[in-house]
Amino acid sequence: MSYSVTTPIRVGIVGTGYAAKRRAEAIQADERAHLGFVTGHSQTRTEEFCQAYKIAALDSWETLVNHPEIDLVIICTINAIHGKIARAALEAGKHVVTEYPLTDNPEEGAHLIALAQAKNQLLHIEHIELLGGLHQTMRQYLPALGQVFYARYATITPQRPAPHRWTYHQTHFGFPLIAALSRIHRLTDLFGTVDTVFGHLKYWDSTETDYFTSCLCNAQLKFTNGLVADIIYGKGEHFWQSDRTFELDGDQGSLVFDGQKGLLIQGQENIPLDAGTPKGLFTKDTHMVLDNLLAGTKLYMSPQQSLYALKVAAAVAESAISGHSVRVS
Ligand code: NAP
Ligand code: BLA
């Protein structure tokens, strides 16, 4: 696919947090692009951002997506508004990159992908987990496990006191395994399609303001190839021990990672594995986006792959509400 865009690509960013900063640095380090504008939330952090990157602020994302001097909009704000910003930006004729998730609604996701295709504009959903050492190492050693029949991926983050931030707000963050879509996406990328899911979700101390102090979200996925996967996502004040274990069990061996350190276990043999550091991934993603826009180089994944992970996550959300297992259509 080739796009009509000329250098330098003029970029506007929505958001001023961690992802936005990494994007701004990557854009400013690349002569093929120019960072012109940002729009933020709180005035202080917007001003800090503008000072750090020597750029101008626009008063709203609506103004930013319609700005005539912007070709590419990068969406790095709270999850609840990704979908509507992406839609408005595509309708305004902009190329769009969004941090995951694209939206919480698979139908809206499909519509946005079709809209971008019809208008020949880029819609890229960042999934930096695929670019990271952990995923690459898992992929590399997968064949050594034979037939994989079980996966278990836990990310538990104790946090005391729970911060009064959007990531502890039911609406701004959204259903935890849609917000943390990488957990499901890592597995669908490795193991393909899912037949049925079962989900569970608990919030602690959630108030009428929608903030909670902890959440626990579990999902069991049964893949078409027979593999069963347990995903555990928890954070907040009610957890006492952090956990980042990713385990795959096959008939020839197991792969077990604790954070970035892993072991390949085959019979009596244990081979230590190191997945490196998860730094620099937003830069990698940004470079690949510019390569794609300017040279048509293939990106590391398609929006359809993100949409499939979203469909599975939405089925988990449906199951968590109904208490029944849900077939993924
Ligand atoms: P962050 O550092 O907390 O930044 C969040 C941004 O959203 C800030 O600009 C914040 O502004 C703004 N914001 C907060 N509450 C808001 C509200 N109610 N309405 C509008 N804007 C609001 O978060 P982040 O880690 O950069 O995450 C941004 C996006 O990237 C999220 O969708 C996240 O899932 C995704 N993502 C992040 C990572 C990562 O490594 N961090 C990885 C993958 C995907 P103020 O600070 O002024 O409130
Ligand atoms: C993913 N990290 C995320 C997401 C959020 C944060 C909101 C998306 C939702 C999710 O998948 O859980 C936020 N991450 C944070 C915050 C810290 C953090 C506030 O580590 C505080 C230290 N992201 C960072 C930092 C690194 C980082 C400092 O903010 C590490 C260098 C990496 N975050 C990182 C990666 C992902 C992610 C690689 C993708 C998720 C995955 O690997 O599966």
Side-chain angles (χ1 to χ4, degrees):
M1 169 110 50
S2 72
Y3 299 107
S4 63
V5 64
T6 51
T7 49
I9 296 175
R10 299 166 304 172
V11 182
I13 295 183
V14 184
T16 55
Y18 181 81
K21 288 175 183 154
R22 302 295 82 82
R23 293 291 188 184
E25 285 155 11
I27 294 293
Q28 290 193 331
D30 196 313
E31 60 189 18
R32 297 171 297 171
H34 171 76
L35 181 61
F37 301 100
V38 67
T39 187
H41 179 233
S42 72
Q43 202 182 332
T44 19
R45 276 186 285 271
T46 307
E47 279 168 9
E48 280 167 17
F49 193 95
C50 287
Q51 267 176 17
Y53 302 105
K54 304 195 174 23
I55 55 165
L58 296 172
D59 60 358
S60 68
W61 63 259
E62 286 90 342
T63 309
L64 187 137
V65 300
N66 287 298
H67 199 288
E69 288 159 34
I70 290 176
D71 309 307
L72 166 66
V73 174
I74 309 188
I75 305 170
C76 313
T77 185
I78 60 169
N79 298 337
I81 52 177
H82 287 187
K84 65 179 171 183
I85 301 173
R87 178 187 290 247
L90 289 170
E91 283 170 353
K94 312 300 185 192
H95 299 292
V96 173
V97 170
T98 179
E99 314 305 350
Y100 68 75
L102 169 60
T103 156
D104 63 355
N105 178 330
E107 277 161 30
E108 186 191 22
H111 174 79
L112 293 171
I113 292 170
L115 181 63
Q117 268 172 352
K119 296 184 64 135
N120 194 30
Q121 288 158 217
L122 173 70
L123 173 60
H124 169 64
I125 305 145
E126 162 270 304
H127 276 274
I128 52 170
E129 73 281 2
L130 293 197
L131 299 172
L134 176 58
H135 197 71
Q136 297 296 332
T137 312
M138 288 235 155
R139 230 188 220 162
Q140 184 185 342
Y141 288 95
L142 198 57
L145 306 185
Q147 185 69 33
V148 181
F149 54 86
Y150 182 64
R152 181 180 177 278
Y153 188 20
T155 54
I156 299 278
T157 314
Q159 225 170 359
R160 247 177 316 277
H164 201 71
R165 294 182 68 232
W166 71 274
T167 49
Y168 281 77
H169 186 282
Q170 284 190 41
T171 314
H172 296 167
F173 191 62
F175 182 73
L177 285 176
I178 293 180
L181 190 60
S182 70
R183 311 304 185 278
I184 287 174
H185 188 236
R186 285 174 184 274
L187 294 168
T188 52
D189 183 66
L190 294 175
F191 301 114
T193 54
V194 175
D195 266 349
T196 51
V197 303
F198 190 80
H200 173 82
L201 171 62
K202 177 177 166 69
Y203 290 114
W204 280 261
D205 309 320
S206 83
T207 61
E208 68 284 359
T209 60
D210 249 12
Y211 286 96
F212 52 87
T213 58
S214 304
C215 77
L216 173 65
C217 187
N218 306 60
Q220 185 159 81
L221 316 184
K222 183 152 190 292
F223 282 75
T224 312
N225 71 8
L227 178 141
V228 170
D230 283 313
I231 299 176
I232 304 151
Y233 175 90
K235 64 180 175 188
E237 294 180 2
H238 294 78
F239 295 94
W240 307 92
Q241 165 120 331
S242 97
D243 188 359
R244 287 197 84 84
T245 50
F246 198 159
E247 173 187 333
L248 298 177
D249 297 304
D251 56 12
Q252 308 284 312
S254 293
L255 255 182
V256 185
F257 270 89
D258 180 356
Q260 301 292 112
K261 300 271 183 227
L263 270 186
L264 171 63
I265 303 164
Q266 285 180 307
Q268 299 304 310
E269 210 181 358
N270 286 357
I271 302 166
L273 302 171
D274 189 343
T277 108
K279 292 209 169 128
L281 303 178
F282 283 107
T283 305
K284 234 183 223 174
D285 180 282
T286 310
H287 282 156
M288 289 173 97
V289 163
L290 297 177
D291 290 346
N292 176 259
L293 276 169
L294 291 165
T297 317
K298 209 166 170 299
L299 273 158
Y300 61 93
M301 62 170 287
S302 69
Q304 283 80 7
Q305 284 169 257
S306 179
L307 179 62
Y308 185 70
L310 177 65
K311 280 186 184 158
V312 175
V316 174
E318 190 188 329
S319 167
I321 291 168
S322 70
H324 301 292
S325 69
V326 171
R327 187 166 289 278
V328 181
S329 57

